[in-house]
């Protein structure tokens, strides 16, 4: 066993990210080709029914008509435009486009992880988790468009990381127009921009930045054949060899030294006093002129995103009228589904239909077809009948309240690390939604790879606990699916048992979220990595020892080096000098080294 670790480390170090991407591309080409064969020769089709809907909508657009003439097309017209080559070139065009978007998303993930100081071996594993995840692997090749939203959101993260406010606002407006669910990220983005602006304009950062040399200010460097690979673009939170640097807090007197991104007084107290107030309260304490300057990036982002969203909405409203609004937006806000799904609201909605007429209008097996039953079923039906007049005719709308509370609380707690915030917000939003299908899981599983390096680096939650939570999540799904099979395929009336299985799945989601919240808290991550105040640095030393044991390959892969938060990486990029200054500093360093050797 002692020799297995170095062997594993060397194996991971030998695998490059492009190897994973190339293999994923080949697999997707094979699956798209297999889809053509299976659809033509087998009774069970490989292609998702939604892809047929997209193609039919594109056919209407190609003939000069509205895409909404195709029933159940409830997306932006942009999607129909994107798959027009399905009509003009080949029906598999859309699948090729979505599969290529998978690969582009992997590249963006690699960029974001590099910028937060993630070692290459962890980046490779994270990309593999995205490209070969059994939940996400077949999605694009079957014709689901969800990866386009993922691509827009990852592009948005890249722009926010670089501080490109106008581009970020435009991308966010486009993302919300394309699929409405990213609207839940708005509070976290605004809080992140406020925090970033407050930190950049604070006097402590300005003074400390002027005292730091290039190696200490998180300058981006090009790889020179080191561990990170020839030509790789290194993170501003990496050493020249490509290993993640330790995030150490410097005090006013210039205490704890060491290369890396030195944290100013405001960052050094993160997780102690800052999180109690929050950027909004801190903004209100500033003089009006300073508060206005600090709020300007967030205001510009909000104005740009609103403008793009409204312009697109007005454009397509002019083309397709109220039908566009009803199908692209209103339907998703008011949707309720009496058919069985993972939602904890499924059975109350099912009972709410309550008549044979409704059942016939919504399909077989939908809505109770008999009067109040006996036992547990009858008790539930009678209880819901009594609660209905008290809560209102459509009491399922109360689902918005726990969703809003969860999204707001997570935004306040995790806005310093936007990928983690979005992951947790999306997971909570989907788990508490009034309609939950397996397709929605892709929304948060696409963000999970960005959190994997931080989960590996943290010490707050044992790895076994996280693995157990993941296993419980999968087991709860399988339990639900067993009851769904009894209802759908065998025609048994097991609605109560199926609803109970849905509640068990909600419990599994809650358990997983609770552990992830503790593991991904920015302050706990810094303390767990030995990088923040009060840390003993043990995690960093363990990472260094593991690096030596592996012969230098995979430094920091053990998670001890400390993975920077999204905010820390963004601040490091903002404080970095222009590219010309980097070149001059690098030349001066080379000249000094040559002179010293002489």
């Amino acid at each position: 066993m002692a020799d297995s670790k170095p062997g594993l480390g060397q194996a991971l170090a030998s695998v490059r990210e492009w190897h994973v991407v190339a293999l994923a591309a080949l697999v997707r080409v094979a699956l798209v080709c297999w889809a053509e064969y299976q659809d033509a020769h087998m009774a069970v089709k490989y292609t998702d029914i939604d892809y047929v809907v997209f193609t039919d909508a594109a056919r209407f657009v190609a003939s000069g008509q509205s895409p909404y003439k195709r029933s159940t097309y409830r997306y932006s017209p942009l999607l129909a435009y994107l798959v027009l080559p399905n009509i003009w070139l080949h029906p598999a065009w859309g699948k090729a486009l979505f599969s290529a978007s998978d690969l582009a998303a992997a590249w963006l993930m690699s960029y974001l992880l590099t910028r937060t100081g993630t070692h290459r071996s962890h980046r490779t594993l994270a990309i593999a988790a995205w490209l070969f995840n059994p939940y996400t692997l077949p999605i694009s090749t079957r014709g689901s468009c969800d990866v386009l939203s993922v691509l827009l959101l990852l592009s948005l993260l890249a722009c926010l990381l670089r501080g490109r406010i106008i581009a970020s606002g435009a991308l966010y407006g486009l993302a919300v127009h394309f699929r409405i669910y990213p609207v839940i990220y708005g509070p976290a983005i605004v809080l992140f921009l406020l925090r970033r602006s407050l930190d950049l304009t604070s006097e402590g950062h300005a003074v400390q930045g002027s005292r730091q040399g290039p190696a200490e200010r998180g300058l981006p460097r090009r790889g020179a054949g080191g561990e990170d690979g020839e030509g790789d673009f290194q993170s501003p939170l990496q050493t020249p060899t490509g290993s993640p640097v330790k995030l150490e807090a410097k005090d006013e007197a210039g205490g704890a030294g060491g290369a890396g991104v030195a944290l100013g007084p405001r960052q050094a107290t993160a997780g102690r006093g800052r999180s109690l107030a929050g950027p909004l309260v801190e903004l209100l304490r500033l003089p009006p002129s300073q508060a206005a300057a600090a709020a300007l990036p967030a205001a510009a982002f909000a104005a740009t995103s609103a403008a793009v969203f409204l312009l697109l909405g007005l454009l397509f409203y002019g083309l397709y009228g109220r039908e566009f609004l009803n199908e692209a937006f209103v339907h998703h806000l008011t949707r309720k589904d009496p058919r069985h799904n993972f939602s904890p609201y499924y059975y109350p909605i099912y009972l709410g239909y309550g008549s044979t007429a409704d059942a016939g209008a919504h399909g077989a097996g939908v809505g109770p077809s008999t009067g109040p039953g006996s036992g547990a079923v009858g008790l539930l039906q009678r209880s819901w009948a009594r609660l209905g007049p008290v809560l209102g005719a459509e009491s399922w709308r109360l689902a918005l309240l726990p969703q809003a509370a969860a999204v707001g609380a997570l935004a306040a707690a995790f806005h310093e690390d936007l990928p983690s915030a979005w992951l947790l917000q999306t997971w909570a939003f989907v788990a508490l939604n009034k309609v939950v299908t397996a397709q929605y899981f892709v929304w948060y599983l696409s963000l999970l790879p960005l959190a994997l390096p931080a989960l590996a680096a943290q010490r707050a939650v044992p790895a076994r606990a996280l693995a157990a939570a993941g296993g419980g999540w999968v087991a709860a799904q399988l339990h639900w699916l067993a009851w769904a099979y009894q209802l759908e395929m065998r025609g048994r009336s097991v609605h109560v048992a199926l609803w109970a299985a849905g509640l068990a799945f909600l419990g599994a989601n809650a358990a997983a979220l609770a552990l992830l919240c503790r593991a991904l808290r920015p302050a706990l991550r810094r303390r767990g990595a030995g990088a923040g105040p009060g840390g003993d640095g043990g995690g960093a030393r363990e990472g260094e020892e593991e690096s030596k044991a592996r012969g230098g390959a995979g430094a920091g892969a053990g998670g001890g080096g400390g993975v920077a938060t999204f905010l820390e990486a963004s601040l490091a990029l903002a404080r970095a000098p222009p590219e010309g200054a980097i070149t001059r500093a690098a030349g001066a360093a080379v000249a000094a080294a040559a002179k010293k050797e002489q």
Side-chain angles (χ1 to χ4, degrees):
M1 294 295 292
D3 296 335
S4 63
K5 286 188 177 182
L8 177 61
Q10 291 172 3
L12 289 175
S14 64
V15 177
R16 301 300 178 114
E17 292 157 85
W18 71 266
H19 295 160
V20 177
V21 174
L23 179 60
L26 292 176
V27 170
R28 280 159 173 76
V29 170
L31 287 175
V32 170
C33 294
W34 171 257
E36 294 296 305
Y37 175 83
Q38 181 171 333
D39 290 348
H41 297 89
M42 298 184 184
V44 178
K45 307 300 182 183
Y46 182 89
T47 300
D48 191 276
I49 186 62
D50 285 343
Y51 190 73
V52 179
V53 174
F54 305 158
T55 303
D56 290 344
R59 187 173 288 109
F60 280 114
V61 171
S63 62
Q65 302 180 70
S66 167
Y68 300 105
K69 286 187 174 295
R70 181 26 164 123
S71 61
T72 72
Y73 181 79
R74 299 187 173 103
Y75 306 88
S76 165
L78 291 175
L79 179 58
Y81 297 168
L82 287 173
V83 296
L84 277 172
N86 282 13
I87 312 301
W88 299 334
L89 298 178
H90 192 278
W93 161 265
K95 297 177 184 177
L97 173 65
F98 303 154
S99 298
S101 299
D102 274 347
L103 307 181
W107 179 84
L108 281 170
M109 288 180 184
S110 176
Y111 172 80
L112 292 167
L113 291 171
T114 300
R115 285 299 184 183
T116 53
T118 303
H119 189 265
R120 192 187 68 211
S121 60
H122 272 182
R123 295 201 306 268
T124 303
L125 289 173
I127 291 172
W130 159 248
L131 291 174
F132 295 100
N133 186 310
Y135 284 91
T136 58
L137 174 61
I139 289 294
S140 297
T141 56
R142 295 188 67 227
S144 173
C145 68
D146 286 290
V147 67
L148 296 180
S149 294
V150 173
L151 192 61
L152 286 172
L153 292 173
L154 292 174
S155 302
L156 170 58
L157 281 175
C159 288
L160 288 170
L161 183 71
R162 303 288 303 193
R164 295 173 179 171
I165 306 301
I166 303 301
S168 299
L171 281 170
Y172 184 63
L174 177 59
V176 174
H177 167 84
F178 194 78
R179 292 295 293 270
I180 197 171
Y181 81 89
V183 73
I184 66 175
Y185 305 142
I189 296 174
V190 170
L191 290 175
F192 167 80
L193 291 174
L194 288 175
R195 169 55 60 204
R196 182 179 184 275
S197 182
L198 288 168
D199 282 358
L200 285 176
T201 56
S202 65
E203 183 178 356
H205 275 258
V207 172
Q208 190 165 1
S210 65
R211 293 177 180 175
Q212 293 171 350
E216 295 178 300
R217 296 179 64 186
L219 305 187
R221 304 182 181 89
R222 292 283 175 179
E227 279 183 352
D228 214 60
E230 294 79 9
D232 284 355
F233 193 78
Q234 291 187 347
S235 166
L237 301 178
Q238 287 180 325
T239 63
T241 60
S243 304
V245 302
K246 290 194 298 182
L247 302 174
E248 296 183 336
K250 283 193 175 183
D251 56 21
E252 295 288 339
V261 179
L263 306 182
R266 186 185 306 274
Q267 282 175 290
T269 58
R272 295 188 297 183
R274 190 171 78 176
S275 61
L276 297 178
L280 288 175
V281 175
E282 192 170 337
L283 188 71
L284 294 175
R285 293 174 179 171
L286 293 176
S289 59
Q290 294 183 25
L296 184 60
F301 171 85
T304 304
S305 58
V308 170
F309 179 80
L310 290 174
L311 286 174
L312 288 171
L314 289 172
L315 171 64
F316 291 123
Y317 182 80
L319 290 174
Y320 305 118
R322 188 169 181 81
E323 194 175 26
F324 155 69
L325 293 179
N326 290 335
E327 299 295 340
F329 300 114
V330 176
H331 165 79
H332 299 287
L333 294 174
T334 61
R335 178 187 178 189
K336 57 178 181 178
D337 195 345
R339 295 178 177 88
H340 57 284
N341 61 85
F342 289 96
S343 173
Y345 302 97
Y346 139 67
Y347 195 58
I349 292 175
Y350 169 81
L351 292 176
Y353 274 77
S355 70
T356 306
D358 285 330
H362 291 85
V366 177
S369 58
T370 62
S374 60
V377 176
L379 178 62
L380 285 170
Q381 290 178 348
R382 289 189 293 271
S383 299
W384 192 254
R386 292 190 183 98
L387 286 174
V390 177
L391 298 177
E394 295 186 325
S395 52
W396 52 267
R397 293 185 187 277
L398 295 176
L400 294 175
L401 297 180
Q403 282 180 308
V407 167
L410 291 169
F414 291 91
H415 61 270
E416 291 185 16
D417 197 36
L418 278 184
S420 296
W422 291 6
L423 166 66
L424 298 172
Q425 286 180 300
T426 312
W427 202 319
F429 178 82
V430 170
L432 296 171
N433 203 29
K434 57 185 181 291
V435 178
V436 180
T437 66
Q439 179 183 357
Y440 297 174
F441 301 161
V442 178
W443 296 354
Y444 55 85
L445 290 177
S446 64
L447 296 166
L448 184 59
L450 296 178
L452 289 179
L455 291 175
Q458 60 86 31
R459 298 284 191 269
V461 179
R464 290 183 178 179
L466 291 172
W473 183 77
V474 173
Q477 284 186 66
L478 295 176
H479 176 232
W480 185 92
L481 289 170
W483 288 108
Y485 173 81
Q486 295 294 323
L487 174 68
E488 186 171 347
M489 306 303 295
R490 304 190 65 179
R492 296 180 58 191
S493 181
V494 292
H495 289 281
V496 174
L498 184 61
W499 181 51
L503 294 178
F505 183 57
L506 176 63
N509 279 299
L513 276 171
L515 291 178
L516 287 174
C517 284
R518 178 163 179 79
L520 294 174
R521 281 292 293 270
L524 291 177
R525 279 167 49 183
R526 279 191 286 270
R527 287 201 295 269
D536 60 2
R541 287 192 295 271
E542 290 176 12
E544 293 168 358
E545 291 171 1
E546 184 178 1
S547 173
K548 293 177 181 178
R550 295 180 180 182
V563 179
T565 65
F566 194 80
L567 175 64
E568 290 165 346
S570 182
L571 291 174
L573 283 170
R575 292 197 302 265
E579 188 68 29
I582 298 173
T583 305
R584 291 192 297 272
V590 171
K595 185 176 180 180
K596 186 176 180 180
E597 289 179 359
Q598 293 176 356

